């Protein structure tokens, strides 16, 4: 009998997704050099911010305050980077959980990846900086 996965329910579940996902990111040949180069030794701070972001999005416990896009505006990324990010994120969620919140996490991740990709391309193509 197959082991049934449960849905994302609490902050420990959020931390499990975030920690495993960024573990993959840090080791990924395409994304690792970008993330590791920018974050450097500030991984604990970054992970804490990601816990709060996903806690706000998935658990509706408002602990994240900020604008997620501006720190990403000047990243040297394109569609293939976002495709890889999304593949790793979806795989992580699917490895750990199943259910409504797990599906929402993947949907939200896809939405964010698409929005960030288009915004970054827009800023790069028009030599602009975000206002915030």
């Amino acid at each position: 009998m197959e082991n049934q996965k449960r849905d994302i329910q609490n902050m420990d579940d959020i931390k499990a997704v975030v920690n495993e996902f960024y573990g993959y990111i840090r080791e990924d040949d395409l994304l690792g050099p970008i993330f590791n180069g920018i974050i450097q030794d500030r991984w604990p701070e970054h992970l804490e911010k990601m816990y709060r972001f996903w806690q706000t999005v998935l658990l509706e416990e408002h602990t994240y305050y900020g604008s997620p896009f501006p720190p990403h505006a000047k990243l040297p990324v394109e569609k293939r980077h976002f495709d890889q990010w999304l593949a790793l994120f979806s795989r992580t969620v699917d490895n750990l959980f199943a259910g409504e919140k797990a599906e929402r996490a993947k949907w939200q991740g896809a939405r964010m990846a698409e929005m960030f990709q288009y915004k970054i391309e827009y800023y790069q193509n028009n030599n602009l900086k975000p206002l915030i």
Side-chain angles (χ1 to χ4, degrees), residues 21-37 43 76-77 80-82 84-85 88 91:
F21 171 64
Y22 281 103
Y24 291 139
I25 290 286
R26 292 170 86 167
E27 299 298 322
D28 187 76
D29 291 340
L30 180 63
L31 300 175
I34 295 169
F35 277 82
N36 291 320
W43 276 102
V77 294
R80 67 189 176 110
H81 296 93
F82 286 99
Q84 180 67 357
W85 183 96
L88 291 173
R91 182 179 85 191

